[in-house]
Amino acid sequence: MTEKEYDALVKEISPKSPVKKDCFNAFWIGGTICLIGQLLQNFYLYTGAEKINAAAGASMTLVVLSALLTGLSIYDDIAKVAGAGTLVPITGFANAVSAPAVEFKTEGFVLGVAAKMFNIAGPVIVYGICSSVIYGFLYWIGTMLSV
């Protein structure tokens, strides 16, 4: 079998991806997550919180809800329908941290939960911190040169 014949066979056997449906689901579910975040921020503002505290409260609430839904195996069901729509940064990150913790809890607290929790999220944290340090250093140099 040649490479072209193999490619044709794979295309024939592979299920067709419903791209329009997947994009629509990602759009409306991701948008709903963002809407929930905005409603939470508005609620915190309504209760008298300052804008920055309301934003922090909304973010923390979304993290807790994501971790809770991950622990109850609901977030994965939502992700099966929404696809990339659940990767809204803060909820996706909370899921990436809490999912391995739930999955490896049978291996114990230290070697299971604690060790596996940052397998996915660890590189994100490392590169986020490193890039912020580099950006801060470049910003500092820029301010020193402009003085």
Coordinates of all heavy atoms in Angstrom, one line a residue, residues 12-73:
E12 N -11.3 8.0 4.3 CA -12.5 7.3 4.1 C -13.1 6.8 5.4 O -14.3 6.8 5.6 CB -12.3 6.2 3.0 CG -13.5 5.4 2.7 CD -13.2 4.3 1.8 OE1 -12.4 4.5 0.9 OE2 -13.8 3.2 1.9
I13 N -12.2 6.2 6.2 CA -12.6 5.6 7.4 C -12.9 6.5 8.6 O -13.8 6.4 9.4 CB -11.6 4.5 7.9 CG1 -11.5 3.4 6.8 CG2 -11.9 3.9 9.2 CD1 -10.4 2.4 7.1
S14 N -12.1 7.6 8.6 CA -12.2 8.6 9.7 C -13.6 9.3 9.7 O -14.1 9.6 8.7 CB -11.1 9.7 9.6 OG -9.9 9.1 9.6
P15 N -14.1 9.4 10.9 CA -15.4 10.1 11.0 C -15.3 11.6 10.6 O -14.3 12.2 10.9 CB -15.9 9.9 12.4 CG -14.6 9.7 13.2 CD -13.7 9.0 12.2
K16 N -16.3 12.1 10.0 CA -16.3 13.5 9.6 C -16.5 14.4 10.8 O -17.4 14.1 11.6 CB -17.3 13.8 8.5 CG -17.2 12.9 7.3 CD -15.9 13.2 6.5 CE -15.9 12.3 5.3 NZ -14.7 11.5 5.2
S17 N -15.8 15.4 10.9 CA -15.9 16.3 12.1 C -16.9 17.4 11.8 O -16.8 18.1 10.8 CB -14.5 17.0 12.4 OG -14.7 17.9 13.4
P18 N -17.9 17.5 12.7 CA -18.9 18.6 12.5 C -18.4 19.9 12.9 O -18.7 20.4 14.0 CB -20.1 18.1 13.4 CG -19.4 17.3 14.5 CD -18.2 16.7 13.8
V19 N -17.6 20.6 12.1 CA -16.9 21.8 12.4 C -17.8 22.9 12.8 O -17.6 23.6 13.8 CB -15.9 22.2 11.3 CG1 -15.3 23.5 11.6 CG2 -14.9 21.1 11.0
K20 N -18.9 23.1 12.1 CA -19.8 24.2 12.4 C -20.5 24.0 13.7 O -20.6 24.9 14.5 CB -20.8 24.4 11.3 CG -20.3 24.9 10.0 CD -21.3 25.0 8.9 CE -20.7 25.4 7.6 NZ -21.7 25.5 6.5
K21 N -20.9 22.8 14.0 CA -21.5 22.5 15.3 C -20.6 22.7 16.4 O -20.9 23.2 17.4 CB -22.1 21.1 15.2 CG -22.7 20.6 16.5 CD -23.2 19.2 16.4 CE -23.3 18.6 17.8 NZ -23.3 17.2 17.8
D22 N -19.3 22.2 16.2 CA -18.3 22.3 17.3 C -18.0 23.8 17.6 O -17.8 24.2 18.7 CB -17.0 21.5 16.9 CG -17.2 20.0 16.9 OD1 -18.2 19.6 17.4 OD2 -16.3 19.3 16.3
C23 N -17.8 24.6 16.5 CA -17.6 26.0 16.7 C -18.7 26.7 17.4 O -18.5 27.5 18.3 CB -17.3 26.7 15.4 SG -15.7 26.2 14.7
F24 N -19.9 26.4 17.0 CA -21.1 27.0 17.7 C -21.2 26.6 19.1 O -21.4 27.5 20.0 CB -22.4 26.5 16.9 CG -23.6 27.0 17.6 CD1 -24.0 28.4 17.4 CD2 -24.4 26.2 18.4 CE1 -25.2 28.9 18.1 CE2 -25.6 26.7 19.0 CZ -25.9 28.0 18.8
N25 N -21.0 25.3 19.5 CA -21.0 24.9 20.9 C -19.9 25.6 21.7 O -20.1 26.0 22.8 CB -20.9 23.4 21.0 CG -22.2 22.7 20.6 OD1 -23.3 23.3 20.6 ND2 -22.1 21.5 20.2
A26 N -18.7 25.7 21.1 CA -17.6 26.3 21.8 C -17.9 27.8 22.0 O -17.6 28.4 23.1 CB -16.3 26.2 21.0
F27 N -18.5 28.4 21.0 CA -18.9 29.9 21.1 C -19.9 30.1 22.2 O -19.7 30.9 23.1 CB -19.4 30.4 19.8 CG -19.9 31.8 19.8 CD1 -18.9 32.8 19.8 CD2 -21.2 32.1 19.9 CE1 -19.4 34.1 19.9 CE2 -21.6 33.4 19.9 CZ -20.7 34.4 19.9
W28 N -21.0 29.4 22.2 CA -22.1 29.7 23.2 C -21.7 29.2 24.6 O -22.1 29.9 25.5 CB -23.4 29.2 22.7 CG -23.8 27.8 22.9 CD1 -23.7 26.8 22.0 CD2 -24.4 27.2 24.1 NE1 -24.1 25.6 22.6 CE2 -24.5 25.8 23.8 CE3 -24.7 27.7 25.3 CZ2 -25.0 24.9 24.8 CZ3 -25.3 26.8 26.2 CH2 -25.4 25.5 26.0
I29 N -21.0 28.1 24.7 CA -20.7 27.7 26.1 C -19.6 28.5 26.7 O -19.6 28.9 27.8 CB -20.4 26.2 26.1 CG1 -21.6 25.3 25.7 CG2 -19.8 25.7 27.4 CD1 -21.4 23.9 25.6
G30 N -18.6 28.8 25.9 CA -17.5 29.7 26.3 C -18.1 31.1 26.6 O -17.7 31.7 27.6
G31 N -19.0 31.6 25.8 CA -19.7 32.9 26.1 C -20.5 32.8 27.3 O -20.6 33.8 28.1
T32 N -21.1 31.7 27.6 CA -21.9 31.6 28.8 C -21.0 31.6 30.1 O -21.4 32.2 31.1 CB -22.7 30.2 28.8 OG1 -23.6 30.3 27.7 CG2 -23.6 30.1 30.1
I33 N -19.8 31.0 30.0 CA -18.9 31.0 31.1 C -18.5 32.5 31.3 O -18.4 32.9 32.5 CB -17.7 30.1 30.8 CG1 -18.1 28.6 30.8 CG2 -16.6 30.4 31.8 CD1 -17.0 27.7 30.3
C34 N -18.2 33.2 30.3 CA -17.8 34.6 30.4 C -19.0 35.4 31.0 O -18.8 36.3 31.8 CB -17.4 35.2 29.1 SG -15.8 34.5 28.5
L35 N -20.2 35.1 30.5 CA -21.4 35.8 31.0 C -21.6 35.6 32.5 O -21.8 36.5 33.3 CB -22.6 35.4 30.3 CG -24.0 35.9 30.8 CD1 -24.0 37.4 30.6 CD2 -25.1 35.2 30.1
I36 N -21.3 34.4 33.0 CA -21.4 34.0 34.4 C -20.4 34.8 35.2 O -20.7 35.4 36.2 CB -21.3 32.5 34.6 CG1 -22.5 31.8 34.1 CG2 -21.0 32.2 36.1 CD1 -22.3 30.3 34.0
G37 N -19.2 34.9 34.6 CA -18.1 35.7 35.2 C -18.5 37.2 35.4 O -18.3 37.9 36.4
Q38 N -19.1 37.8 34.3 CA -19.6 39.1 34.3 C -20.7 39.3 35.3 O -20.8 40.3 36.0 CB -20.0 39.6 32.9 CG -20.3 41.1 32.9 CD -19.1 42.0 33.2 OE1 -18.1 41.8 32.6 NE2 -19.3 42.9 34.1
L39 N -21.6 38.4 35.4 CA -22.7 38.5 36.3 C -22.2 38.4 37.8 O -22.7 39.1 38.6 CB -23.8 37.4 36.1 CG -24.6 37.5 34.8 CD1 -25.4 36.3 34.6 CD2 -25.4 38.8 34.8
L40 N -21.2 37.6 38.0 CA -20.6 37.5 39.3 C -19.9 38.8 39.7 O -20.1 39.3 40.8 CB -19.6 36.4 39.4 CG -20.2 35.0 39.4 CD1 -19.0 33.9 39.2 CD2 -20.8 34.7 40.8
Q41 N -19.2 39.4 38.7 CA -18.6 40.7 39.0 C -19.6 41.8 39.3 O -19.5 42.6 40.2 CB -17.7 41.1 37.8 CG -16.9 42.4 38.1 CD -16.0 42.8 37.0 OE1 -15.7 42.0 36.1 NE2 -15.4 43.9 37.1
N42 N -20.7 41.8 38.5 CA -21.8 42.8 38.8 C -22.4 42.6 40.1 O -22.7 43.5 40.8 CB -22.8 42.7 37.7 CG -22.3 43.2 36.3 OD1 -21.2 43.8 36.2 ND2 -23.1 43.0 35.3
F43 N -22.6 41.3 40.5 CA -23.1 41.0 41.8 C -22.2 41.5 42.9 O -22.7 42.2 43.9 CB -23.3 39.5 42.0 CG -23.7 39.1 43.4 CD1 -24.9 39.3 43.9 CD2 -22.7 38.5 44.2 CE1 -25.3 39.0 45.2 CE2 -23.0 38.1 45.5 CZ -24.3 38.4 46.0
Y44 N -20.9 41.3 42.8 CA -20.0 41.8 43.8 C -19.9 43.3 43.8 O -19.8 43.9 44.9 CB -18.6 41.2 43.6 CG -18.5 39.7 43.9 CD1 -18.0 38.8 43.0 CD2 -18.9 39.2 45.2 CE1 -17.9 37.5 43.3 CE2 -18.8 37.9 45.5 CZ -18.4 37.0 44.5 OH -18.3 35.7 44.8
L45 N -20.0 43.9 42.7 CA -20.1 45.4 42.7 C -21.4 45.9 43.3 O -21.4 46.9 44.1 CB -20.1 45.9 41.2 CG -18.7 45.9 40.5 CD1 -18.9 46.1 39.0 CD2 -17.7 46.8 41.1
Y46 N -22.5 45.2 43.1 CA -23.8 45.6 43.7 C -23.7 45.5 45.2 O -24.4 46.2 45.9 CB -24.9 44.7 43.1 CG -26.2 44.9 43.7 CD1 -27.0 46.0 43.3 CD2 -26.8 44.0 44.7 CE1 -28.2 46.2 43.9 CE2 -28.0 44.2 45.2 CZ -28.7 45.3 44.8 OH -30.0 45.5 45.4
T47 N -23.0 44.5 45.7 CA -22.9 44.3 47.2 C -21.9 45.3 47.8 O -21.7 45.3 49.0 CB -22.4 42.9 47.6 OG1 -21.1 42.7 47.0 CG2 -23.4 41.9 47.1
G48 N -21.3 46.2 47.0 CA -20.5 47.3 47.5 C -19.0 47.1 47.4 O -18.2 47.9 47.9
A49 N -18.6 46.0 46.7 CA -17.1 45.8 46.5 C -16.6 46.8 45.5 O -17.3 47.3 44.6 CB -16.9 44.4 46.1
E50 N -15.3 47.2 45.7 CA -14.6 48.0 44.7 C -14.4 47.2 43.5 O -14.5 46.0 43.5 CB -13.3 48.5 45.3 CG -13.4 49.5 46.5 CD -12.1 49.9 47.0 OE1 -11.1 49.9 46.2 OE2 -12.0 50.2 48.2
K51 N -14.2 47.9 42.3 CA -14.1 47.2 41.0 C -13.0 46.2 41.0 O -13.3 45.0 40.6 CB -13.9 48.3 39.9 CG -13.9 47.7 38.6 CD -13.8 48.7 37.5 CE -14.0 48.0 36.1 NZ -14.0 49.0 35.0
I52 N -11.9 46.4 41.6 CA -10.8 45.5 41.5 C -11.1 44.3 42.4 O -10.8 43.1 42.1 CB -9.4 46.1 41.9 CG1 -8.3 45.2 41.6 CG2 -9.4 46.5 43.4 CD1 -6.9 45.8 41.5
N53 N -11.7 44.5 43.6 CA -12.1 43.4 44.5 C -13.3 42.6 43.9 O -13.3 41.4 44.1 CB -12.5 44.0 45.8 CG -11.3 44.6 46.6 OD1 -10.2 44.2 46.3 ND2 -11.6 45.5 47.4
A54 N -14.2 43.3 43.2 CA -15.3 42.5 42.5 C -14.7 41.6 41.4 O -15.2 40.5 41.3 CB -16.3 43.5 41.9
A55 N -13.7 42.1 40.7 CA -13.1 41.3 39.6 C -12.4 40.1 40.2 O -12.5 39.0 39.7 CB -12.2 42.1 38.8
A56 N -11.7 40.3 41.3 CA -11.0 39.2 42.0 C -12.0 38.2 42.6 O -11.8 37.0 42.5 CB -10.1 39.8 43.1
G57 N -13.1 38.7 43.1 CA -14.1 37.8 43.7 C -14.7 37.0 42.6 O -15.0 35.8 42.8
A58 N -15.0 37.6 41.5 CA -15.6 36.8 40.4 C -14.6 35.8 39.9 O -15.0 34.6 39.6 CB -16.0 37.8 39.2
S59 N -13.3 36.1 39.8 CA -12.3 35.1 39.3 C -12.2 34.0 40.3 O -12.2 32.8 39.9 CB -11.0 35.8 39.2 OG -11.0 36.8 38.2
M60 N -12.2 34.3 41.6 CA -12.1 33.3 42.6 C -13.3 32.3 42.6 O -13.2 31.1 42.7 CB -11.8 33.9 44.0 CG -10.5 34.5 44.1 SD -10.1 35.0 45.8 CE -11.2 36.4 46.0
T61 N -14.4 32.9 42.4 CA -15.7 32.1 42.4 C -15.7 31.2 41.2 O -16.0 30.0 41.3 CB -16.9 33.0 42.3 OG1 -16.9 33.9 43.4 CG2 -18.2 32.2 42.4
L62 N -15.2 31.7 40.0 CA -15.1 30.8 38.8 C -14.1 29.7 39.0 O -14.4 28.6 38.6 CB -14.7 31.7 37.6 CG -15.8 32.5 37.0 CD1 -15.2 33.4 35.9 CD2 -16.9 31.7 36.5
V63 N -13.0 30.0 39.7 CA -12.0 28.9 40.0 C -12.7 27.9 40.9 O -12.5 26.7 40.6 CB -10.8 29.5 40.6 CG1 -9.9 28.4 41.2 CG2 -10.0 30.3 39.6
V64 N -13.3 28.3 41.9 CA -13.9 27.3 42.9 C -15.0 26.5 42.2 O -15.1 25.3 42.3 CB -14.5 28.1 44.1 CG1 -15.4 27.2 44.9 CG2 -13.4 28.6 44.9
L65 N -15.9 27.2 41.4 CA -16.9 26.5 40.6 C -16.3 25.5 39.6 O -16.8 24.3 39.5 CB -17.8 27.5 39.9 CG -18.8 28.3 40.7 CD1 -19.5 29.3 39.9 CD2 -19.8 27.3 41.4
S66 N -15.3 25.9 39.0 CA -14.6 24.9 38.0 C -14.0 23.7 38.7 O -14.2 22.6 38.3 CB -13.5 25.7 37.3 OG -14.0 26.7 36.5
A67 N -13.4 24.0 39.8 CA -12.8 22.9 40.6 C -13.9 21.9 41.1 O -13.8 20.7 41.1 CB -11.9 23.4 41.7
L68 N -15.0 22.5 41.6 CA -16.1 21.8 42.1 C -16.7 20.9 41.0 O -17.0 19.7 41.2 CB -17.1 22.7 42.8 CG -18.4 22.0 43.3 CD1 -18.0 21.1 44.5 CD2 -19.4 23.0 43.7
L69 N -17.0 21.5 39.9 CA -17.6 20.8 38.8 C -16.6 19.7 38.2 O -17.1 18.7 37.8 CB -18.0 21.8 37.6 CG -19.1 22.7 38.0 CD1 -19.3 23.7 36.8 CD2 -20.4 22.0 38.3
T70 N -15.3 20.0 38.3 CA -14.3 19.0 37.9 C -14.4 17.8 38.9 O -14.4 16.6 38.5 CB -12.9 19.5 37.9 OG1 -12.9 20.6 36.9 CG2 -11.9 18.5 37.5
G71 N -14.5 18.1 40.2 CA -14.5 17.0 41.2 C -15.8 16.2 41.1 O -15.8 15.0 41.4
L72 N -16.9 16.8 40.6 CA -18.1 16.1 40.4 C -18.3 15.4 39.1 O -19.3 14.9 38.7 CB -19.3 17.0 40.7 CG -19.4 17.6 42.1 CD1 -20.5 18.7 42.1 CD2 -19.7 16.5 43.1
S73 N -17.2 15.5 38.2 CA -17.2 15.0 36.9 C -18.2 15.6 35.9 O -18.6 15.0 35.0 CB -17.4 13.5 36.9 OG -16.3 12.9 37.6

